[in-house]
Amino acid sequence: MSSAKEPRTQLTIPTITTSQSTPQTPREQRKKKVVFKCALTNTISDVLTNREGWAQTQGDDWQFFWVTREWMTTCYDKHKFSEKQLICHFRNDFELTRKDFLIKNYKKARKAKEKSGVDVATEFNFIPSSYVLPAEYHLFVEEFRKYPTDTIWIMKPVAGAQGKGIFLFRKLKHVQEWKKKDSSGSEALPYVVQSYIHNPYLVGGKKFDVRIYVLVTSFRPMNAWVHREGFARFSHSRYSTDSVDDAFVHLTNVAVAKTAADYDPERGLKWSLPKLMRFFKSMHGHSKVSKLMNDLAKVIIESLRSVQNLIIQVNASPSLTASSQEDFELKYRVLNHMIDVLDIDKKLLGNENEVGGFDILVRNNKPVEICKVARHNQPFFTPQLNLRLGELVF
């Protein structure tokens, strides 16, 4: 999560349309006030400060507290929560958000699916071959020898961010050299190693990834929302496997791209999700994009289910520091709509399928489906999981 001390860029606060709510009289609006506390000074601080009827506190009388991960580590167990206090993290959300725990829980879920008769090779295969080193080093070596000699593998620190420490390799000796380079002089730092996707989908010859905002308000029962907005991040340079050492080719992290001499933060290397979806539809048609949406929805749902019984009830840490005015406006909307979904000030009816830009994907453990008007030779109405990435937010 971004540091509370990082410098701020002067950005314009966007005008936000609030979510649907039950009508309130002026007296009721004056009477109700949400008291919040915020440990950061980036976009979330702007959102909370500018919400009508919300007031900031420095004490412990808060109803909503945007905490840091450091607070979770050092203060959570000592804090005596009142019944109505809400914070922005689950106690052990690292079961999903840390790479080694994600792989552990994915493998466990995959085995359970396989035992129940699911064809996991086609139905549960959204993570490539993955191992945690050094603990699973010997298992990895066995797997490594099954692949062609020119196969590329990627190494990532289990708790890393911003592309730090990531490297690619083809030869096993490069992993052994990594172990020798460990500065502690003892056991090597934990890394995740995965088979590298050799034929990634490219846009304009470049690799990209997609940032999707998923808000989980409860794991038992599971209630999860997905915001329609988000963005695609592109690599700085065109994709090629000629070199495995060029981070500008293989990584999409903004922290990596902005070190390039010709990086322009305003032009940037980002597309909004509406722009990306328009591109997909123009290239592949509506039916394939609808299938993509359903597949993405299933990945989100299955990922959450893989840790549902492990999360202790009380988002991981997406970057909230804006790299441009457009980026700020996007994150401001997402965070403002997130507060609407949490409904701390009790404005919602409780049965909404959409709030601001968020659509509910799972309600009370059940995936939510919507009926869309079908195209071509399909039935007139086609049920589809309620994921609406890239659609307009009103």
Side-chain angles (χ1 to χ4, degrees), residues 281-319:
K281 288 173 183 175
S282 68
M283 295 294 292
H284 307 288
H286 286 266
S287 61
K288 286 191 176 180
V289 173
S290 293
K291 183 181 184 305
L292 171 66
M293 288 291 181
N294 250 24
D295 290 343
L296 280 173
K298 289 175 183 177
V299 169
I300 294 169
I301 293 169
E302 293 296 348
S303 297
L304 296 177
R305 282 177 173 169
S306 73
V307 299
Q308 184 175 10
N309 295 327
L310 299 173
I311 298 294
I312 300 171
Q313 295 283 52
V314 202
N315 175 281
S317 302
S319 171

Side-chain angles (χ1 to χ4, degrees), residues 112-144:
K113 293 277 186 183
E114 195 169 24
K115 286 182 179 179
S116 66
V118 172
D119 180 7
V120 293
T122 57
E123 297 293 327
F124 203 80
N125 61 350
F126 53 87
I127 291 183
S129 180
S130 307
Y131 294 89
V132 179
L133 304 186
E136 297 180 323
Y137 178 74
H138 295 293
L139 291 174
F140 163 64
V141 170
E142 290 181 19
E143 183 77 6
F144 178 89

